[in-house]
Amino acid sequence: QVQLVESGGGLVQVGGSLRLSCASSGGLFWALAMGWFRQAPGKEREFVAAITWSGGSTSYANSVKGRFTVSRDNAKNTVFLQMNSLKPEDTAVYYCASGTRPYYSGTLGDENYGSWGQGTQVTVSS
């Protein structure tokens, strides 16, 4: 199975940027869609962004569209989330997750994400 470890979180001021990384080992990372999710205290986990197995297509939540960019480097078994123009409402624990269907080409939001990382905290101060 895919094992995922997130890194890159931290404290940043409003309008700042962070780049999250998700390192993968094992499983079929190279053939699976990868997603980013976040969960703020007292809130439900929400979808943030995702990318197809090939990196050819991406999907974003409306709340982050235009500010966040998801990318992947299959040669390095790593997926990234570049976060720009950060807002206080972006404060959350961010998780990466791998899809469950190899070569999945459907709507990324409809994919079932299986393996999850431990998360990395992102805090955006006003």
Side-chain angles (χ1 to χ4, degrees):
Q1 63 178 4
V2 177
Q3 299 177 38
L4 306 170
V5 179
E6 302 95 336
S7 63
L11 176 64
V12 64
Q13 292 183 321
V14 170
S17 298
L18 285 174
R19 184 177 179 86
L20 306 184
S21 297
C22 176
S24 173
S25 62
L28 300 175
F29 171 85
W30 53 272
L32 301 172
M34 295 294 297
W36 284 97
F37 299 79
R38 67 187 182 188
Q39 186 168 22
K43 302 293 184 180
E44 296 293 322
R45 184 188 67 192
E46 65 174 339
F47 171 81
V48 176
I51 187 167
T52 57
W53 67 272
S54 66
S57 296
T58 57
S59 182
Y60 299 93
N62 289 335
S63 59
V64 307
K65 191 172 296 183
R67 299 187 298 119
F68 291 10
T69 302
V70 61
S71 61
R72 69 190 297 162
D73 185 342
N74 283 351
K76 297 181 178 180
N77 290 343
T78 304
V79 63
F80 305 95
L81 184 67
Q82 178 66 48
M83 306 185 295
N84 298 325
S85 302
L86 284 163
K87 305 175 180 180
E89 52 263 44
D90 295 319
T91 295
V93 176
Y94 283 71
Y95 302 89
C96 66
S98 60
T100 56
R101 291 173 283 188
Y103 308 110
Y104 177 74
S105 60
T107 302
L108 288 169
D110 291 337
E111 171 64 308
N112 294 318
Y113 294 90
S115 298
W116 295 78
Q118 295 299 307
T120 185
Q121 176 70 47
V122 171
T123 302
V124 184
S125 63
S126 301

